Amino acid sequence: MNLNNFALNTDYDSLKNDANGTFTVTVPASSSIGAGTEKAWTQDIQLGSSASLLNVKVKNNRTGPSDQGAAHANQWYVLTGTNYQRFSGLPGYSLQVTCFHNGGNTIRCRVSVFNAGTSTLTTDNVNDVFTFAIRTYLAPTF
Amino acid sequence: MPASPSAAKNLLFSTDYPIDKVVYKHEFTGSVAKAANQGDSHTFTIAHGLPFTPHCIGTYSDDGFTTSYDFGSGDIWYDPTFHQYGPRILATVTSDATSIYVEVLNFDTTRTFDFHVVGLVPQDIPDDVYPAATNTGDFNLNTDYNYMKILASGQQSSSANNITWVIPHNLGYVPTALVFTKGYGDVVYLGGAENAMGANDYIFYAYLDSSNLYMQVVDNFNNQPMTAYYRIYLDE
């Protein structure tokens, strides 16, 4: 804390607004995922402070998360750590979306596709664009 | 100062809008054994001692906070035990009238976790039940940082199977929001993480656009009463 700045003490701590930013991860159209493997698309960004709390909104250009359909495309979903399902072809597949601290103030936005099957999986012939809006809070002093 | 949302979002501090009150914070460390089956979670129970149910958020790590996840999200891998893709580690936080529950699924080897739990005052608590402050130095408001300013907060309840509540904010930009839900047993969950540890009575989604917050109950399997709590901030 800069003691030259204005300070005021009251009864309870609060969430301190640290930093924010918007970042995009794209799963390219027709990506191939080999049998029994995963493929992850990531973006590492430096934002805010180490071990800050995250408030994350995610939107996708095609659908809402889980079984939420195209009506929820491009709507900001509150909370990450979810999956988006694609059943436009067979086999269907899930896009696992996560966002986490990955060392210091590096935050990793990640979209993964897993192929537990025995043949190559090809994603839909459309770019799947995930946009993450991240707000970091300074964690209270423990 | 006038109560102008468009101007106030840039202000350092304004008494026109309330801010979150952290009434509970707790850090602890615990070991969690490798799960024996897919439902083999471990729950840490911590009495919170508050006269109400706090709304909890927080973060956890299995490597001393080099890598950390917020409650409700976790790491994903190919599980060599169960031969499928799924969480490597996943932790959630819930709360009720007496305790805070940190539930952990660990499909990796037995390991030590660090947890940071932050409890916020819910919106429906009258001022006179706040616990007496024991350390007036806890909240140090200073000009080093901006603060989250709450534009609107409230709650909606229903037993319906499918319902969407539309909460207007009319900010013209997509703000930050925090959502919680309370269901069977008066347990409070982070909105969207209700089913992270197994099927719950209901599935909940929250969306934002530049005009509204949408809170949607997609399935309420047993038509149990549930309540959704929201707080919308001026901050993007």
Side-chain angles (χ1 to χ4, degrees), chain B residues 15-16 19 65 94 97 130 139 153 155 160 181 184 207 214 220-221:
Chain B
T15 53
D16 289 342
I19 58 175
F65 278 103
T94 57
Y130 279 37
F139 176 28
S153 62
Q155 63 192 72
T181 66
Y184 182 74
Y207 299 95
Y214 307 88
N220 193 344
F221 300 115

Side-chain angles (χ1 to χ4, degrees), chain A residues 25-44:
Chain A
V25 175
T26 299
V27 176
S30 303
S31 296
S32 293
I33 296 99
T37 65
E38 71 162 303
K39 188 173 280 186
W41 292 263
T42 63
Q43 183 170 182
D44 285 351

Side-chain angles (χ1 to χ4, degrees), chain A residues 12, chain B residues 23-24 48-54 96-99 121-122 124-132:
Chain A
Y12 300 105
Chain B
V23 287
Y24 182 86
H48 56 65
L50 295 167
F52 51 80
T53 301
D96 64 15
T98 61
S99 300
V121 175
D124 53 351
I125 300 302
D127 289 346
D128 58 2
V129 302
Y130 279 37

Side-chain angles (χ1 to χ4, degrees), chain A residues 62-127:
Chain A
R62 301 180 62 200
T63 68
S66 190
D67 57 356
Q68 298 286 282
H72 292 280
N74 294 310
Q75 278 190 315
W76 288 100
Y77 174 60
V78 181
L79 187 75
T80 185
T82 187
N83 69 82
Y84 289 69
Q85 296 172 348
R86 299 288 177 256
F87 293 115
S88 52
L90 289 176
Y93 59 96
S94 294
L95 301 135
Q96 300 283 342
V97 176
T98 55
C99 184
F100 55 95
H101 275 282
N102 191 35
N105 72 336
T106 298
I107 295 172
R108 174 164 291 180
C109 304
R110 183 175 73 182
V111 181
S112 304
V113 177
F114 302 102
N115 179 11
T118 55
S119 58
T120 298
L121 184 154
T122 303
T123 62
D124 290 350
N125 188 26
V126 183
N127 283 351

